[in-house]
Amino acid sequence: MSDLRHLYQELILDHSRSPHGFGLSTDSPHRSHQVNPTCGDEIALAVVHDGTTVESVQWEGQGCAISQASASLLSTLLERRPLADVEPLVAEFREAIQSRGTIELDEERFGDAIALNGVSKYVARVKCAMLAWVALEDALDS
Amino acid sequence: MSDLRHLYQELILDHSRSPHGFGLSTDSPHRSHQVNPTCGDEIALAVVHDGTTVESVQWEGQGCAISQASASLLSTLLERRPLADVEPLVAEFREAIQSRGTIELDEERFGDAIALNGVSKYVARVKCAMLAWVALEDALDS
Amino acid sequence: MLPNPAQTDFSSDELDAIRAQFPILTERVNGHPLVYLDSGATAQRPQRVLDAERDFVLRRNSAVHRGAHWLAAEATEEFEDARATVARFVGARPEELVWTSNATEGVNLVAQSIAEASLDPAADPRVRLAPGDEIVVTELEHHANLLPWQRLARRTGATLRYLPVSDEGEVEGIDEVIGERTRLVAFSHASNVLGGYSPVERIVARARSVGALTFLDSCQAVPHAPVDFGALGVDFAVFSGHKMLGPTGIGALYGRFELLDALPPYLLGGSMITTVTMDGAEYLPPPQRFEAGTQRISQAIALAEAVRFLDELGMERVAAHGERLGARLAEGLAGIPGVRVLGPGPGAPRIGLASFVLEGVHAHDVGHVLDERGIAIRVGHHCAQPLHRRLGIAASARASTSVYSTHAEIDVFLEGVAEAAEFFGVAGTREVLA
Amino acid sequence: MLPNPAQTDFSSDELDAIRAQFPILTERVNGHPLVYLDSGATAQRPQRVLDAERDFVLRRNSAVHRGAHWLAAEATEEFEDARATVARFVGARPEELVWTSNATEGVNLVAQSIAEASLDPAADPRVRLAPGDEIVVTELEHHANLLPWQRLARRTGATLRYLPVSDEGEVEGIDEVIGERTRLVAFSHASNVLGGYSPVERIVARARSVGALTFLDSCQAVPHAPVDFGALGVDFAVFSGHKMLGPTGIGALYGRFELLDALPPYLLGGSMITTVTMDGAEYLPPPQRFEAGTQRISQAIALAEAVRFLDELGMERVAAHGERLGARLAEGLAGIPGVRVLGPGPGAPRIGLASFVLEGVHAHDVGHVLDERGIAIRVGHHCAQPLHRRLGIAASARASTSVYSTHAEIDVFLEGVAEAAEFFGVAGTREVLA
Ligand SMILES: Cc1ncc(COP(=O)(O)O)c(C=O)c1O
Ligand SMILES: Cc1ncc(COP(=O)(O)O)c(C=O)c1O
Ligand code: FES
Ligand code: FES
């Protein structure tokens, strides 16, 4: 069970049950809708920012605990973060999650989101963890 | 070489080189055009009959020695034969040729055409030998 | 070949002998013995099926229907024998069985050919559709038996309608939806999500009474029960090799000969023509008309061996085995708090397959916990999104069996589900903190 | 992987080692050792390719891209690794390689998808055809690379034109026929009848200069020479597994990614969608968009092993071996009285394949005589009727080699042809007695 506990840490389960940033109330034009093709789960996400600083990341959707926790942790992580930080953070996140357990997220930069470290060992879960982050990238492009 | 000689008897080679009934001069409506799908070879065949007796079977086409000899032998065999004989003859011929060497053509009924007996051992040549006979069947149906 | 009237399940000795054909079943996953309960997605291939294919390839491999040499004649004969063997297994004549890559291609083949025929005023009216005509599917179809019909409707102007399913997954509305305008009814023989059978006789009877063609997706029935398309009276049917102990890369389309013969060709290329010019071509009769290019020859031979294996086991007994496993699955799951079992209720026949939802927990998370203990199940929408939407769920978890599955494996699986329920603390409701 | 710059043929020890991989080569036919010279139709499959497939099936077999469990993850990885291996072998990126059943399906896939796109005003203009547009093929095409384009022309109102071939089988008229209206040029990389190469660079350059797409039928090149589609600059290409020591039932379509991405889906079904409702669907990007239903998984893994085998032999050396065999074939045949060799004259490069006509004797009769001595060749039109008509013949006989073919086998074959000539008394003219 230790691998399982490592993946489904209390923090992950908590975030998935009581997600942060859940609910789309903004009319920010920076939004995206993404579907995970392997499971059909979806997310709708919007970024509120003033061009310099992210105010909030709001989202709605359904999916597995990993995808929900990841969206929630992303929302927590980016709140009031400089907009310029986002791109490198997404890149680092992607690299770590796709690393098959060889790269860990940096606690200084990712805070609680390092709870997602367990995902990178499970190829089948990478898309779950990435779903919100892909939506975030796409939202900022739009 | 004995199997080969059995298949390509002098009679077969002679008929293939100097085919009987070759050349379509009749305007008989009893005609058919058939293609052997495995090789693309073709035959056009017409039956001249008065409702009781076959006067002649005329044909044109190209193909292997077996197909040409078979058409030629068929033409020889049916000349001035009662029309009612044709259907059973075709049926017997088909049965023997498809028999994989287990059934021989009856010399009394088939005359020189028994030279085609060697074909039935070669699955790949059955269609060659049958081509004219299938055209004949079709021509009488039309 | 003869069905065993006793319809008894396999004895444990018999099961051991069966399992010995499948070395993969002795693999270990995360330190646990593999419990493979994903046979509905793809079944494992017995050694003897691999042996038959290998034997052919190493002794008789050759192009078929094209070669004049000895090897080609031998290969052609084995290839056509394979067709006859598989055809007999499903109550078809050999010339009524067209090889395809999988069931999906079989559905597309018929839909495309009907689309093509619909453009041709000279085509057989039975296989032509026009605006005003209706195609009927059910709400529980696999995407493979839905999307091609959607496209056919778009192309021809026909309307796609569907038979709704009840909360228990029963197909409803047969007499209401199938009517005078219905030209084709496409439906599943057994559902790959619910495990229950469709009312094939009733649908076929209704379709016939209005002059509509029937198309049966028999992917989940052919591997699990004796099937006779001729006796069922369907016009077309499809199934896949890899779900019935055969190889991937091969499946088959059954069609009543006169209907196949009324269809224009599908893929164009070698081995399906008589004459070709730079302007056009003439085509061979079925089944060759639909088999363009070099065929999946060794796979056909392997599939025939799979069919012989199933025949030796006896499809009646295979069905009995599956039904018993299915019942144990459904009952066991129903006994776990927080679990909702989809499909037929207790007592109703089901193949050895059951899908379920664990309240408040996503199917993928359930699957993950089981996977850690070596239990392989399928999670997601199982290529049946409309059915999931109908049942008000995004995803489900599915355990599915085959001839090599055991009651003991079902028990390990049920324990795993119970543990997953505990692990996630089932019925934890989401508090939304925006 | 590195090409051997010396381009030396295989030594006889190396050939022995290669042949040991193919037990079928020790078969006897009519008391003679089998001389298999029909590799252009289908090549034999080495033991290690069968072993790789077997190993996968018995250890890791599972559905791919759908399963969440360990086995599915392993199988998906091996399957995608296989794609990457085969893609690299032909100078493609993995996402540019779509699995098909065979080359024939690859041609049909592109032709159908263009037909579909042509109906949709919103589709990418590069993949839409309309009346006035021209599709160009050559007169030497295999039916697989002709009929689908004929149908595409019929469907879209485009005109099909062709590049004529000379008496020696050279493709001509490139600058005249390919012009401003040309939208697509489909042509063979190497001819399956003549054995010579098409002027790929010139055709691609001309097509580019007029803004036309290029589609390469590389069935007879990929098994025989180093091929790099990226470097050739073609837009699409197809090849078949069974002609390159891989299994039947699998082939591949290469397409430049942006063009594949511009094409609508081909077969519809599972594993190629993101969302499905009862009314429609959204599709995945390539290559998945074109891979509906359960894929030929173990066959992909086997094909990758065939590619590794070829890579280890070195494609430069494979090419050198084939060229030498081809030259010996062509020269030897030309030395037999009454024989007309088709295709490139002496000195011009050819793959290890030669077709010929024995004057006054039908190819099937020649083939029959050879078959009696265990020599397997192909006779007929080789799915290239228009080319045969162009050359004024109904059929030809073809000997074709692969990596396991030997010079000694060519000699046995040449003796056989000489004997057939004697047997039939060549140049016996037909006297017509009506
Ligand atoms: C040049 C060429 N194109 C296409 C094909 C068709 O290949 P397949 O039958 O594997 O689809 C062949 C082989 O028959 C060929 O030689
Ligand atoms: C009911 C049903 N129909 C169709 C299919 C599609 O089969 P395949 O992927 O082999 O084409 C499946 C399996 O995935 C199925 O279960
Ligand atoms: S299973 Fe769908 S996002 Fe994780
Ligand atoms: S080879 Fe064509 S008819 Fe015999």
Side-chain angles (χ1 to χ4, degrees):
Chain A
M1 272 296 189
S2 86
D3 273 354
L4 213 53
R5 273 277 158 239
H6 181 54
L7 178 66
Y8 292 107
Q9 301 178 16
E10 272 315 319
L11 199 66
I12 298 279
L13 294 180
D14 287 350
H15 270 272
S16 80
R17 289 191 192 119
S18 318
H20 186 85
F22 196 94
L24 276 169
S25 58
T26 173
D27 57 1
S28 161
H30 307 293
R31 46 180 70 233
S32 171
H33 177 244
Q34 296 292 323
V35 180
N36 180 344
T38 42
C39 56
D41 289 325
E42 309 179 38
I43 191 167
L45 177 148
V47 186
V48 186
H49 69 75
D50 58 10
T52 328
T53 311
V54 175
E55 195 198 301
S56 66
V57 178
Q58 306 182 4
W59 60 280
E60 273 177 7
Q62 36 78 10
C64 63
I66 305 299
S67 69
Q68 303 299 291
S70 183
S72 174
L73 286 160
L74 173 154
S75 178
T76 316
L77 176 69
L78 293 188
E79 220 153 76
R80 272 170 292 281
R81 194 102 176 193
L83 194 55
D85 279 10
V86 175
E87 212 183 294
L89 280 171
V90 174
E92 278 169 58
F93 185 79
R94 175 177 280 124
E95 201 192 349
I97 293 297
Q98 294 183 341
S99 75
R100 310 199 161 203
T102 60
I103 302 176
E104 301 247 302
L105 291 166
D106 177 355
E107 179 156 11
E108 297 237 329
R109 291 174 57 66
F110 283 90
D112 278 358
I114 65 162
L116 289 162
N117 265 329
V119 173
S120 79
K121 273 190 15 199
Y122 300 98
V123 186
R125 305 313 293 269
V126 168
K127 283 201 177 124
C128 303
M130 285 305 303
L131 189 63
W133 301 70
V134 168
L136 170 70
E137 255 182 337
D138 187 53
L140 290 176
D141 270 0
S142 68
Chain B
M1 271 300 187
S2 85
D3 273 354
L4 213 52
R5 274 278 158 241
H6 181 56
L7 178 67
Y8 292 108
Q9 302 178 13
E10 272 315 319
L11 199 69
I12 297 280
L13 293 180
D14 289 349
H15 269 272
S16 80
R17 289 192 191 119
S18 317
H20 186 85
F22 195 94
L24 275 169
S25 59
T26 172
D27 57 1
S28 160
H30 307 291
R31 46 181 69 234
S32 171
H33 176 244
Q34 295 292 324
V35 180
N36 180 342
T38 43
C39 57
D41 289 325
E42 308 179 40
I43 191 168
L45 178 148
V47 186
V48 186
H49 71 77
D50 60 9
T52 329
T53 312
V54 175
E55 193 196 303
S56 67
V57 177
Q58 306 181 3
W59 61 279
E60 273 177 8
Q62 35 77 9
C64 62
I66 306 300
S67 68
Q68 303 299 289
S70 182
S72 174
L73 286 160
L74 172 154
S75 178
T76 315
L77 176 70
L78 294 188
E79 222 152 74
R80 273 170 292 279
R81 194 101 177 195
L83 194 57
D85 279 10
V86 176
E87 210 183 297
L89 280 171
V90 175
E92 277 169 58
F93 185 79
R94 175 176 280 124
E95 200 191 350
I97 293 298
Q98 294 183 342
S99 74
R100 310 200 161 200
T102 59
I103 303 175
E104 301 247 305
L105 291 166
D106 178 355
E107 180 155 12
E108 298 236 329
R109 293 175 53 67
F110 283 90
D112 278 358
I114 63 160
L116 289 162
N117 266 329
V119 173
S120 79
K121 272 189 18 197
Y122 301 98
V123 186
R125 304 314 291 271
V126 168
K127 283 202 175 123
C128 303
M130 285 305 304
L131 189 63
W133 302 70
V134 168
L136 171 71
E137 254 184 338
D138 187 52
L140 290 177
D141 269 1
S142 66
Chain C
M1 256 300 293
L2 282 185
N4 181 325
Q7 298 196 18
T8 49
D9 196 348
F10 302 123
S11 71
S12 76
D13 280 358
E14 284 173 314
L15 256 177
D16 286 347
I18 293 171
R19 288 175 69 86
Q21 280 287 324
F22 301 87
I24 199 168
L25 299 176
T26 63
E27 289 283 321
R28 294 185 74 83
V29 180
N30 295 321
H32 301 275
L34 170 66
V35 174
Y36 187 73
L37 290 173
D38 197 17
S39 296
T42 203
Q44 296 302 335
R45 224 179 290 177
Q47 243 161 347
R48 60 182 272 187
V49 167
L50 287 157
D51 291 343
E53 183 168 2
R54 184 185 195 88
D55 188 55
F56 171 78
V57 171
L58 296 185
R59 287 186 320 108
R60 294 293 178 265
N61 187 50
S62 176
V64 301
H65 285 301
R66 302 205 203 175
H69 52 78
W70 176 80
L71 211 53
E74 294 282 314
T76 303
E77 190 167 330
E78 293 200 29
F79 178 65
E80 290 302 330
D81 281 353
R83 190 195 304 273
T85 301
V86 176
R88 189 171 18 78
F89 185 68
V90 293
R93 289 185 283 135
E95 64 273 23
E96 295 179 324
L97 195 99
V98 177
W99 298 121
T100 61
S101 303
N102 51 26
T104 302
E105 195 188 24
V107 187
N108 280 273
L109 191 167
V110 173
Q112 302 251 45
S113 295
I114 294 181
E116 181 96 0
S118 302
L119 297 174
D120 176 5
D124 190 311
R126 285 172 302 177
V127 294
R128 290 179 55 205
L129 294 183
D133 289 342
E134 294 179 354
I135 303 167
V136 172
V137 297
T138 84
E139 205 177 2
L140 59 69
E141 294 313 308
H142 189 282
H143 297 159
N145 200 29
L146 170 61
L147 297 176
W149 306 120
Q150 286 181 351
R151 179 158 71 179
L152 176 61
R154 267 198 313 278
R155 283 195 181 159
T156 59
T159 306
L160 188 75
R161 299 190 59 188
Y162 63 88
L163 299 171
V165 301
S166 71
D167 288 345
E168 289 70 41
E170 264 163 53
V171 174
E172 300 187 322
I174 296 172
D175 293 330
E176 297 76 50
V177 179
I178 303 175
E180 291 306 321
R181 306 181 145 223
T182 309
R183 301 290 315 285
L184 182 111
V185 184
F187 62 107
S188 286
H189 198 160
S191 159
N192 68 316
V193 178
L194 306 172
Y197 288 93
S198 293
V200 181
E201 289 77 10
R202 278 179 51 215
I203 295 177
V204 170
R206 176 68 185 159
R208 282 205 174 155
S209 76
V210 299
L213 298 177
T214 46
F215 186 105
L216 191 68
D217 174 354
S218 201
C219 265
Q220 297 291 347
V222 169
H224 299 301
V227 168
D228 186 326
F229 296 135
L232 288 174
V234 292
D235 294 305
F236 296 102
V238 290
F239 54 99
S240 280
H242 68 95
K243 293 189 197 278
M244 52 192 285
L245 316 181
T248 50
I250 191 163
L253 164 69
Y254 159 81
R256 284 204 296 117
F257 188 80
E258 53 172 280
L259 287 172
L260 284 181
D261 201 31
L263 287 176
Y266 161 65
L267 302 184
L268 304 183
S271 300
M272 45 80 71
I273 53 91
T274 55
T275 338
V276 172
T277 65
M278 288 309 291
D279 304 313
E282 313 235 344
Y283 306 108
L284 286 171
Q288 274 75 30
R289 183 186 302 163
F290 304 105
E291 295 178 350
T294 307
Q295 287 302 297
R296 42 293 274 177
I297 306 169
S298 67
Q299 289 79 21
I301 279 143
L303 182 55
E305 182 69 11
V307 156
R308 276 188 288 272
F309 183 49
L310 287 170
D311 262 341
E312 287 169 25
L313 295 178
M315 285 309 291
E316 300 280 356
R317 296 191 70 201
V318 168
H321 180 63
E323 267 175 42
R324 255 150 250 193
L325 293 173
R328 190 175 191 119
L329 272 172
E331 279 157 33
L333 283 166
I336 300 171
V339 167
R340 167 181 166 198
V341 184
L342 310 182
R350 60 160 71 229
I351 57 174
L353 173 159
S355 298
F356 65 100
V357 177
L358 185 57
E359 225 176 291
V361 185
H362 190 282
H364 204 147
D365 295 316
V366 177
H368 200 113
V369 171
L370 296 183
D371 188 41
E372 286 290 316
R373 351 193 84 239
I375 307 159
I377 63 163
R378 177 95 189 271
V379 297
H381 51 62
H382 319 308
C383 301
Q385 285 187 354
L387 173 62
H388 280 80
R389 219 167 279 128
R390 162 64 186 87
L391 299 175
I393 52 183
S396 62
R398 178 185 78 184
S400 56
T401 66
S402 182
V403 293
Y404 42 71
S405 303
T406 66
H407 288 265
E409 287 182 313
I410 305 296
D411 293 344
V412 171
F413 157 78
L414 292 170
E415 270 167 43
V417 176
E419 283 197 45
E422 202 182 293
F423 181 80
F424 289 111
V426 156
T429 41
R430 161 186 283 183
E431 310 150 41
V432 173
L433 307 179
Chain D
M1 258 295 295
L2 282 184
N4 182 326
Q7 296 197 19
T8 49
D9 197 347
F10 301 123
S11 71
S12 76
D13 280 359
E14 283 174 316
L15 258 177
D16 286 348
I18 292 171
R19 288 174 70 86
Q21 279 288 323
F22 300 88
I24 199 169
L25 300 176
T26 63
E27 288 285 321
R28 294 185 74 84
V29 180
N30 294 321
H32 301 275
L34 170 68
V35 174
Y36 186 72
L37 290 172
D38 197 16
S39 296
T42 202
Q44 295 303 335
R45 223 179 291 176
Q47 244 161 346
R48 59 181 272 186
V49 166
L50 286 158
D51 291 343
E53 184 168 1
R54 185 185 193 87
D55 187 55
F56 171 79
V57 172
L58 295 185
R59 287 187 319 110
R60 294 293 178 265
N61 187 50
S62 175
V64 302
H65 285 302
R66 301 204 205 175
H69 51 78
W70 176 81
L71 210 53
E74 294 281 316
T76 303
E77 190 166 332
E78 294 200 27
F79 178 65
E80 290 302 330
D81 281 353
R83 191 196 304 272
T85 300
V86 176
R88 188 169 19 76
F89 185 69
V90 293
R93 288 185 283 136
E95 65 273 25
E96 295 178 324
L97 196 100
V98 177
W99 299 121
T100 60
S101 303
N102 51 25
T104 302
E105 194 188 25
V107 187
N108 281 273
L109 190 167
V110 173
Q112 302 251 47
S113 295
I114 293 181
E116 180 96 1
S118 302
L119 297 173
D120 175 5
D124 190 311
R126 286 172 303 176
V127 294
R128 291 179 54 205
L129 294 184
D133 290 340
E134 293 179 356
I135 304 167
V136 172
V137 298
T138 84
E139 206 178 0
L140 60 68
E141 294 313 309
H142 189 282
H143 297 158
N145 200 29
L146 170 61
L147 298 177
W149 306 119
Q150 287 181 350
R151 178 157 72 180
L152 176 61
R154 269 199 311 280
R155 282 195 184 161
T156 59
T159 306
L160 187 76
R161 299 190 59 190
Y162 62 90
L163 299 171
V165 301
S166 72
D167 288 345
E168 290 70 41
E170 263 165 52
V171 174
E172 300 187 322
I174 295 171
D175 292 331
E176 297 75 51
V177 178
I178 302 176
E180 290 305 322
R181 304 181 149 226
T182 310
R183 300 289 315 284
L184 182 113
V185 185
F187 63 106
S188 286
H189 197 161
S191 159
N192 68 316
V193 178
L194 306 171
Y197 288 94
S198 293
V200 182
E201 289 77 9
R202 279 177 52 216
I203 295 177
V204 170
R206 176 66 185 159
R208 281 205 176 159
S209 76
V210 300
L213 298 177
T214 47
F215 186 105
L216 191 68
D217 174 354
S218 202
C219 265
Q220 296 292 346
V222 169
H224 299 303
V227 168
D228 186 325
F229 295 135
L232 289 174
V234 293
D235 294 306
F236 296 102
V238 290
F239 54 99
S240 278
H242 68 96
K243 294 189 197 279
M244 52 192 286
L245 316 181
T248 50
I250 190 163
L253 163 70
Y254 159 80
R256 284 203 296 117
F257 188 80
E258 53 173 279
L259 287 171
L260 284 182
D261 202 31
L263 288 175
Y266 161 65
L267 301 184
L268 305 182
S271 299
M272 47 81 70
I273 54 91
T274 54
T275 336
V276 172
T277 65
M278 288 309 290
D279 303 314
E282 314 237 343
Y283 306 109
L284 285 172
Q288 273 75 31
R289 183 186 303 164
F290 304 105
E291 295 178 348
T294 307
Q295 288 301 296
R296 42 291 276 178
I297 306 168
S298 67
Q299 290 79 20
I301 279 143
L303 182 54
E305 182 68 11
V307 156
R308 276 188 289 272
F309 183 49
L310 286 169
D311 263 342
E312 285 169 26
L313 296 177
M315 286 309 291
E316 301 280 355
R317 296 191 71 200
V318 168
H321 180 64
E323 269 176 40
R324 256 150 248 194
L325 293 172
R328 190 175 192 122
L329 272 173
E331 280 156 32
L333 283 167
I336 299 170
V339 166
R340 168 181 168 201
V341 184
L342 310 181
R350 60 160 71 230
I351 57 174
L353 174 159
S355 298
F356 65 100
V357 177
L358 185 58
E359 228 175 287
V361 185
H362 191 282
H364 204 149
D365 295 316
V366 178
H368 199 114
V369 173
L370 296 184
D371 188 40
E372 286 290 317
R373 347 193 85 239
I375 307 159
I377 64 164
R378 176 95 190 271
V379 297
H381 52 61
H382 319 307
C383 301
Q385 287 187 351
L387 173 63
H388 279 81
R389 221 168 277 128
R390 161 66 186 86
L391 299 175
I393 51 182
S396 62
R398 178 184 79 184
S400 56
T401 66
S402 183
V403 294
Y404 41 71
S405 304
T406 67
H407 288 267
E409 287 180 311
I410 305 297
D411 294 344
V412 172
F413 158 77
L414 293 169
E415 271 167 45
V417 177
E419 282 197 46
E422 203 183 293
F423 182 82
F424 290 111
V426 156
T429 43
R430 158 186 286 184
E431 310 151 41
V432 173
L433 308 179

